[in-house]
Amino acid sequence: MSSEKEVQIRKNQGIQPRHVAIIMDGNGRWAKNQGKSRISGHKAGIESVRRAVSFSVNHYLDALTLYAFSRENWNRPKKEVMDLLDLFIVVIESEINSLHKNNVCLKIIGDISRFSRRLQDSIYSAEEQTKSNQGLRLNIAANYGGRWDIVHGVRKIAGQVKDGLIQPEQIEEETLSSHLCLHKIAPVDLVIRTGGEYRISNFLLWQVAYSEFWFTDTLWPDFDEYVFEGALNAFAQRERRFGGTSI
Ligand code: IPE
Ligand code: IPE
Ligand code: MG
């Protein structure tokens, strides 16, 4: 494994991502393949979350953003939604001390107002406990939607225009960026999607304007260090031109 200094050089060369975002998909199919219930697939997926977080800490990523629950996931059967949200409480409460020990700063992105009081309290207390940590910034997207994020930002700006604090012609790309989730941290360099689908499913929209994408058929519960390493190796081969030319 590389030292922090070596990783820093690789980040500056643009061959190691600072910020990776993952669409963790395939828990249900994994469970089906095993003849188990969907929720046991979600439970198995928690081990992959632990592995992905440890990997990110050990590889000195600045940020890891995980898509755990979309705004559209409310469309699932009520029992699955309830089980998922209960699992979320258990995971936050059981993992937070270990995250804190590893200097991880946890943030939940998304509209948490629709969650139970208990889940909201667990989220606030976990964020509070880890807010000063300077290591990995771990963002969990819960009741998140890329369109919601943009609408939410636009509403805040509209309020400022209404109050006369800014003029419409003063609104720049940066104005909107600064009102969206993840604005204070490194841009998303790499988006990984497991589970074999090739779509964004309303995950980060604005924030992935120049991200690299990497897809794998691996189902989320089977995602491990080797698969993650494969994604980083693929990223290292990409040439990011940002609209410019390479030679
Ligand atoms: C991803 O796995 C987890 C969530 C969306 C919460 P799925 O539950 O979507 O698994 P598949 O896609 O049905 O296999
Ligand atoms: C995307 O997975 C959402 C999360 C991983 C939380 P889905 O399984 O909900 O996506 P679709 O429905 O296949 O697009
Ligand atoms: Mg799915």
Side-chain angles (χ1 to χ4, degrees):
M1 201 174 299
S2 313
S3 70
E4 186 166 7
K5 215 168 150 198
E6 285 163 345
V7 170
Q8 201 53 49
I9 294 169
R10 289 169 61 78
K11 284 178 183 167
N12 291 340
Q13 291 170 333
I15 53 176
Q16 158 132 357
R18 294 174 200 274
H19 185 170
V20 175
I22 309 182
I23 302 174
M24 310 183 287
D25 197 17
N27 295 349
R29 279 162 285 163
W30 182 90
K32 194 169 177 218
N33 293 345
Q34 315 260 322
K36 293 182 183 161
S37 64
R38 289 183 62 84
I39 192 68
S40 52
H42 298 313
K43 285 185 182 153
I46 292 166
E47 200 44 54
S48 300
V49 171
R50 282 199 198 98
R51 282 193 292 261
V53 172
S54 307
F55 181 96
S56 303
V57 169
N58 294 336
H59 287 73
Y60 307 103
L61 293 191
D62 298 10
L64 176 70
T65 299
L66 301 175
Y67 201 13
F69 191 84
S70 74
R71 288 173 73 78
E72 289 72 27
N73 287 147
W74 295 105
N75 295 330
R76 296 186 176 206
K78 198 162 180 225
K79 168 96 173 80
E80 182 176 348
V81 171
M82 289 305 133
D83 287 348
L84 262 172
L85 297 180
D86 285 346
L87 204 55
F88 198 20
I89 299 179
V90 172
V91 173
I92 292 181
E93 294 184 355
S94 65
E95 297 299 316
I96 195 63
N97 287 334
S98 145
L99 291 173
H100 187 44
K101 244 190 274 160
N102 282 293
N103 202 19
V104 173
C105 172
L106 177 73
K107 279 265 184 302
I108 308 302
I109 61 167
D111 177 10
I112 66 165
S113 67
R114 210 175 148 183
F115 292 153
S116 66
R117 193 67 262 160
R118 168 91 196 273
L119 179 49
Q120 291 187 43
D121 287 346
S122 298
I123 290 172
Y124 290 133
S125 117
E127 288 183 337
E128 184 61 27
Q129 187 180 341
T130 61
K131 71 176 182 202
S132 307
N133 291 344
Q134 300 293 314
L136 179 74
R137 166 77 184 252
L138 175 62
N139 307 296
I140 309 282
N143 196 20
Y144 178 86
R147 289 175 175 172
W148 164 84
D149 197 357
I150 293 170
V151 167
H152 192 244
V154 167
R155 272 196 200 142
K156 287 193 200 155
I157 298 171
Q160 294 177 350
V161 170
K162 183 166 159 250
D163 294 343
L165 297 171
I166 83 168
Q167 297 300 313
E169 55 278 9
Q170 289 175 304
I171 299 170
E172 306 286 353
E173 289 185 8
E174 179 49 33
T175 320
L176 182 51
S177 294
S178 71
H179 286 93
L180 300 186
C181 295
L182 307 180
H183 71 275
K184 286 199 183 119
I185 57 177
V188 178
D189 295 305
L190 175 64
V191 178
I192 296 173
R193 182 171 186 144
T194 63
E197 313 286 2
Y198 300 87
R199 54 179 173 257
I200 194 83
S201 300
N202 198 17
F203 192 31
L204 308 164
L205 296 177
W206 177 277
Q207 295 89 338
V208 298
Y210 264 106
S211 307
E212 297 294 323
F213 286 79
W214 190 80
F215 299 93
T216 173
D217 287 339
T218 303
L219 302 172
W220 179 248
D222 293 326
F223 186 87
D224 61 13
E225 297 75 12
Y226 300 102
V227 185
F228 208 153
E229 194 83 57
L232 294 197
N233 290 339
F235 178 86
Q237 304 300 317
R238 304 276 175 95
E239 189 185 56
R240 304 182 79 190
R241 288 192 284 276
F242 299 101
T245 50
S246 59
I247 40 162

